[in-house]
Amino acid sequence: MAEIVTPRPASTILLLRDAAARQEVEVFMMVRHYEIDFSSGALVFPGGSVDKGDKEIIATPALYSGAEGLDERALSFRIGAIRETFEESGILLARPKGSNVLVDAGRAREIELAHRSQLCESKTSFLDVLAETGMVLALDELVPYAHWITPEGMPKRFDTWFFLAAAPPEQLGTHDGRESTDSIWVSPREALEGGESGRFKLPFPTTRNLIRLGKQASVGAALEDSRGRSIVTVMPVMTKTATGRQLRIPREAGYDGEVFEVGAAG
């Protein structure tokens, strides 16, 4: 019997902005490097594994706000989401200490230039970056959107929380050139069309979340729709049929279906 791999905690943020002159939202997405061993070459949202340093930040409440009612596990997912997003996009969801507004784009850029590469190379910690720059993580900007767990039987598994957040004004984001090789602001419609045409490689959870997000006409509507919504955990179950493969997910998770065809028989 194959060993069951324990899923690794991970977080992802769908950074949103309103599309100019269109009744659509746009989301920041990146193309993962083709040599990465998980979802290589795929178009994905910024995110990654929660690490030990994220949990260490929890012990210093002065470094984050909006944590009311959250336990240690929930805090670690949110802190990890903001750190990973900063590492992978340069976009920082934080406020200067004592301020009630998000850090402006100019200061965020200064912090990125001074600390992002060192953070990505593990030459500094996110805790030290926050302490040195006087930033307070804006956990209250994150709205829980979805919770997916990689199916059993896979060699690498993740327990991933997806969050929505409005992108801070004028923070445009850019890929890191290492784990990701390109980045774009794209509407869910355009991303899905690219997946169908072969322009983009879209993982199954990414596709389902884009379809769901594409129903919202604005950032405000997307955030409001998700606030207070109960999150149903999705751990797809794969079955083989005479014609290909199917993935089964809970219908109550809100993805307009329960059984999805994901590949032809080979």
Side-chain angles (χ1 to χ4, degrees):
M1 181 180 294
E3 179 183 355
I4 296 179
V5 178
T6 301
R8 182 187 306 172
S11 299
T12 292
I13 298 181
L14 282 66
L15 290 164
L16 308 179
R17 71 182 188 185
D18 288 314
R22 298 202 310 269
Q23 290 289 304
E24 291 182 302
V25 297
E26 291 182 331
V27 59
F28 183 84
M29 302 189 74
M30 310 174 307
V31 177
R32 287 180 64 82
H33 196 285
Y34 73 93
E35 290 182 343
I36 294 289
D37 63 355
F38 188 83
S39 292
S40 61
L43 186 69
V44 297
F45 313 114
S49 297
V50 175
D51 67 20
K52 180 181 177 182
D54 299 323
K55 298 174 182 178
E56 292 173 348
I57 290 175
I58 295 173
T60 310
L63 296 179
Y64 54 88
S65 63
E68 295 77 13
L70 300 178
D71 60 21
E72 184 172 321
R73 180 172 168 82
L75 282 171
S76 68
F77 277 109
R78 284 164 172 77
I79 293 169
I82 294 178
R83 174 189 53 76
E84 279 285 343
T85 295
F86 177 66
E87 289 183 8
E88 295 200 339
S89 72
I91 293 175
L92 182 59
L93 287 163
R95 302 183 180 95
K97 191 174 298 183
S99 174
N100 60 2
V101 297
L102 292 173
V103 59
D104 66 67
R107 178 61 178 141
R109 178 62 173 163
E110 291 175 357
I111 295 170
E112 176 194 358
L113 290 174
H115 301 284
R116 183 183 176 191
S117 62
Q118 285 193 319
L119 186 61
C120 291
E121 295 167 11
S122 300
K123 294 179 179 178
T124 188
S125 70
F126 201 34
L127 188 154
D128 287 342
V129 172
L130 296 174
E132 185 175 332
T133 59
M135 288 293 122
V136 178
L137 298 180
L139 304 188
D140 51 303
E141 291 290 314
L142 304 186
V143 178
Y145 189 62
H147 182 212
W148 286 67
I149 300 175
T150 310
E152 293 180 353
M154 301 294 287
K156 183 170 283 192
R157 303 182 65 211
F158 293 94
D159 176 345
T160 305
W161 274 92
F162 292 77
F163 298 96
L164 298 184
E170 298 182 15
Q171 290 194 45
L172 301 180
T174 182
H175 52 285
D176 62 14
R178 291 182 293 271
E179 290 192 14
S180 57
T181 58
D182 197 6
S183 55
I184 55 173
W185 285 94
V186 62
S187 73
R189 173 186 55 79
E190 291 166 327
L192 291 164
E193 288 173 355
E196 291 183 2
S197 71
R199 178 187 175 196
F200 300 131
K201 174 182 174 183
L202 296 175
F204 179 71
T206 304
T207 297
R208 303 322 310 173
N209 282 313
L210 284 168
I211 291 173
R212 185 170 144 198
L213 180 63
K215 297 177 182 179
Q216 305 300 329
S218 68
V219 174
L223 295 174
E224 187 61 32
D225 181 68
S226 292
R227 284 194 181 97
R229 179 193 285 264
S230 60
I231 305 295
V232 176
T233 298
V234 177
M235 187 171 74
V237 175
M238 181 178 290
T239 57
K240 293 183 179 179
T241 68
T243 57
R245 293 174 296 141
Q246 292 179 337
L247 284 180
R248 181 179 297 272
I249 66 175
R251 181 177 296 276
E252 58 271 24
Y255 291 102
D256 298 330
E258 183 177 12
V259 179
F260 299 88
E261 304 289 337
V262 294

